[in-house]
Amino acid sequence: MNTHADPYIESDFTDRQGAVLEAALGLLVEGGEKAITTAGIARAANCSKESLYKWFGDRDGILAAMITYQASKVRVSARLGGPSQSAEAFRAELEVFANDLLTVLSGETSLALNRLAIGQGSREGSVLGNLLIERGRKTVRERAMVLLQSGQLAGVLRFDDRAAAFDTLYSLVVGDFHVRMLLGETVPALRDELARKEHVEQAINRFHLFYSKDHMN
Amino acid sequence: MNTHADPYIESDFTDRQGAVLEAALGLLVEGGEKAITTAGIARAANCSKESLYKWFGDRDGILAAMITYQASKVRVSARLGGPSQSAEAFRAELEVFANDLLTVLSGETSLALNRLAIGQGSREGSVLGNLLIERGRKTVRERAMVLLQSGQLAGVLRFDDRAAAFDTLYSLVVGDFHVRMLLGETVPALRDELARKEHVEQAINRFHLFYSKDHMN
DNA sequence: TGTGTACCGTACCGTTCGGTACTATGTCAA
DNA sequence: TTGACATAGTACCGAACGGTACGGTACACA
C-alpha cells in the first residue's frame, strides 16, 4: 500500500534480498503469518537460513523488511497537475485518487501486510504497525494533500484545515471497507466495477458537498 | 454466564467456563495472541488443560468461545424510544449511539479481539472474522437500523436505502479510527473528551446534511 | 594459482506449544 | 458409606520453530 516520500530512506536491499522478500510476501499472502517461517522462506527462495539471519537479523527483522520492501516497491505516481484546473478536471483527479486508494487497499499483499502488522500489535509497541503507518498511510496522505492543495488553489475547494479535509475524504471513500476486508469479508461494493464506480462517485459528491465553494454550509 | 444474570444475556457457557474465558481475555488484552497458550490459560484461570479441551475442543475452539462470550456480554441496550420524537431528541439519540460505538470500538478487549481475528484471517476461511462480524458488527448494525427507522418515522430523516444510510453514518463516525487503533496508534480525536465530542457532533451534522428532510440535495 | 568472500544446503540444538494421559481431590446422590 | 462424576494438577510426548554451526561451491581478485 505504500511508498516512502522520505528521500533519505531508501530500500537498501540487493536484488537477491528483494527476491527473497518477494518470496516471503508470497508465502504471507498465501498462508498468513503462520506461513512465514525461516525454513519456509529459505525453501521458497532457495536461500540459506544463515543468509536470512545475516541480512535481516532475526525473524522480526524479516517481517519489518517485508513491509519496507513492499512500500518501496509500490511507489505512487505523483501525477500532480498544476494548480490551474477546471472543477471538472479536479473532480476527475479526485476520482482517480479514490479509485487508486481502493485498489491499493484491497490488494492481497496490502491486506496481508496489514493483517500481519495488526496481528502482531500492539505487542512490543506495535513496531510493524508504526512502520506500516509511516511508510504506507503517510504517503497516501501526502499525495492527497497535494491534490487538495491544488484544488484549493484552483478555487474549487475551500477549507481551513487541510488535514481534516483529507480525513473526511478518506472516510467517505474507504469507510469501513478496510476493516471488513481485513476480517475476511468480500465487500460487494468493491467487487464489480459498476458498484465501485458508483461508490466512488457518491463519495466524491459528498466530499464536494462539504468542501466545494458552491456548497458551503 | 448462565445463572441469575441478565435475562437478555444468554450464552451456553457455565459460570466456570465464563470465568476461564474471562481470564483468557485478560491474557489476550495484555499479551496479544501469542499469550494465549493452553498452559497459560490453565494457569491464569486455575483450571486444568484437560477441562479446556473438554469444554472447547481445541485451541481454536477457545478463541472462538472468547469471541462469542465477549459478544454475549456486551449486548447492546436497545433503548428504542418510540417513533414520535422531536428532531432535537433524535439528534441526541444519534449522538449517544455514536459515542457508544466509539467507546466500544476503542475498548481494549474489542481491539484485542479484532486483532486476533484479523491476525488469524483470512486463513481457513477466516472463521473468527466471520464470527466477529456476525456477533459484533451485526448487533451494532441492528441497533442503528432501529434508530434510523424511528428517525424516518418521526419525519426527521429521509432515505430510500436504510442500509446505505447506516453505512454512511458508520463511516462518518468511525472513519479510519478503527484501523489506526488496530495498528497501535493512539488517535488524538478519541483521547480527550472535548475533541471526541466535537468529532461526534460534526459527524452527526454531516449525516443530517445528507439525510435530513431539510437538507436534501 | 592461491586466498578471501558470499552463499547454499543441511544437520543440529534448545525451547515452546498443542494435545493426551494419569493421579489426586472434592462433591453429590443413593 | 459408597460409587459415579467433574475437575485440578502434573507429567509426558511429538512436532514445529527460531537460531546456530559447519561443510561445500562458485566466483572475484591479486
Side-chain angles (χ1 to χ4, degrees), chain B residues 26-67:
Chain B
L27 288 178
L28 177 68
V29 168
E30 194 186 354
E33 195 229 318
K34 269 197 85 173
I36 304 294
T37 68
T38 55
I41 296 173
R43 197 181 325 116
N46 285 328
C47 76
S48 68
K49 285 174 68 175
E50 198 166 24
S51 298
L52 290 181
Y53 284 95
K54 181 177 172 187
W55 293 332
F56 309 113
D58 57 1
R59 185 176 182 272
D60 287 345
I62 299 176
L63 301 184
M66 288 166 66
I67 292 182

Side-chain angles (χ1 to χ4, degrees), chain B residues 6-156:
Chain B
D6 248 292
Y8 292 38
I9 295 182
E10 39 177 282
S11 67
D12 18 50
F13 298 127
T14 66
D15 286 357
R16 183 80 185 106
Q17 288 165 6
V20 169
L21 293 175
E22 204 77 51
L25 285 171
L27 288 178
L28 177 68
V29 168
E30 194 186 354
E33 195 229 318
K34 269 197 85 173
I36 304 294
T37 68
T38 55
I41 296 173
R43 197 181 325 116
N46 285 328
C47 76
S48 68
K49 285 174 68 175
E50 198 166 24
S51 298
L52 290 181
Y53 284 95
K54 181 177 172 187
W55 293 332
F56 309 113
D58 57 1
R59 185 176 182 272
D60 287 345
I62 299 176
L63 301 184
M66 288 166 66
I67 292 182
T68 65
Y69 171 75
Q70 178 69 11
S72 77
K73 220 181 48 172
V74 190
R75 188 138 315 192
V76 187
S77 56
R79 191 211 300 218
L80 110 95
S84 57
Q85 309 181 35
S86 69
E88 290 75 18
F90 179 71
R91 207 198 124 92
E93 281 223 55
L94 267 189
E95 288 190 7
V96 168
F97 166 77
N99 253 305
D100 287 359
L101 179 56
L102 288 177
T103 300
V104 169
L105 290 186
S106 61
E108 283 299 330
T109 307
S110 165
L111 287 177
L113 282 177
N114 274 274
R115 291 199 185 102
L116 173 66
I118 289 176
Q120 297 287 21
S122 56
R123 163 176 28 134
E124 299 170 19
S126 57
V127 185
L128 296 185
N130 286 331
L131 208 55
L132 208 56
I133 291 175
E134 208 66 32
R135 304 256 174 155
R137 187 145 310 205
K138 288 230 171 144
T139 53
V140 169
R141 183 189 180 88
E142 274 166 28
R143 178 182 164 190
M145 292 296 243
V146 171
L147 201 58
L148 293 181
Q149 176 89 327
S150 79
Q152 194 177 34
L153 291 180
V156 180

Side-chain angles (χ1 to χ4, degrees), chain A residues 172 205-211 215-217, chain B residues 91 94 156-158 168 172 201-217:
Chain A
L172 288 174
N205 273 341
R206 288 174 163 175
F207 181 73
H208 275 89
L209 186 56
F210 292 146
Y211 289 109
H215 296 86
M216 282 307 277
N217 50 336
Chain B
R91 207 198 124 92
L94 267 189
V156 180
L157 298 183
R158 183 166 74 182
T168 301
L172 287 174
E201 280 178 1
Q202 188 188 51
I204 304 298
N205 275 340
R206 288 175 164 173
F207 181 73
H208 275 88
L209 184 57
F210 291 148
Y211 290 109
S212 83
K213 278 198 165 172
D214 306 335
H215 296 87
M216 282 309 274
N217 52 339

Side-chain angles (χ1 to χ4, degrees), chain A residues 36-38 49-50 53 58-59:
Chain A
I36 304 294
T37 68
T38 55
K49 286 174 67 174
E50 199 167 23
Y53 284 96
D58 57 1
R59 184 175 182 271

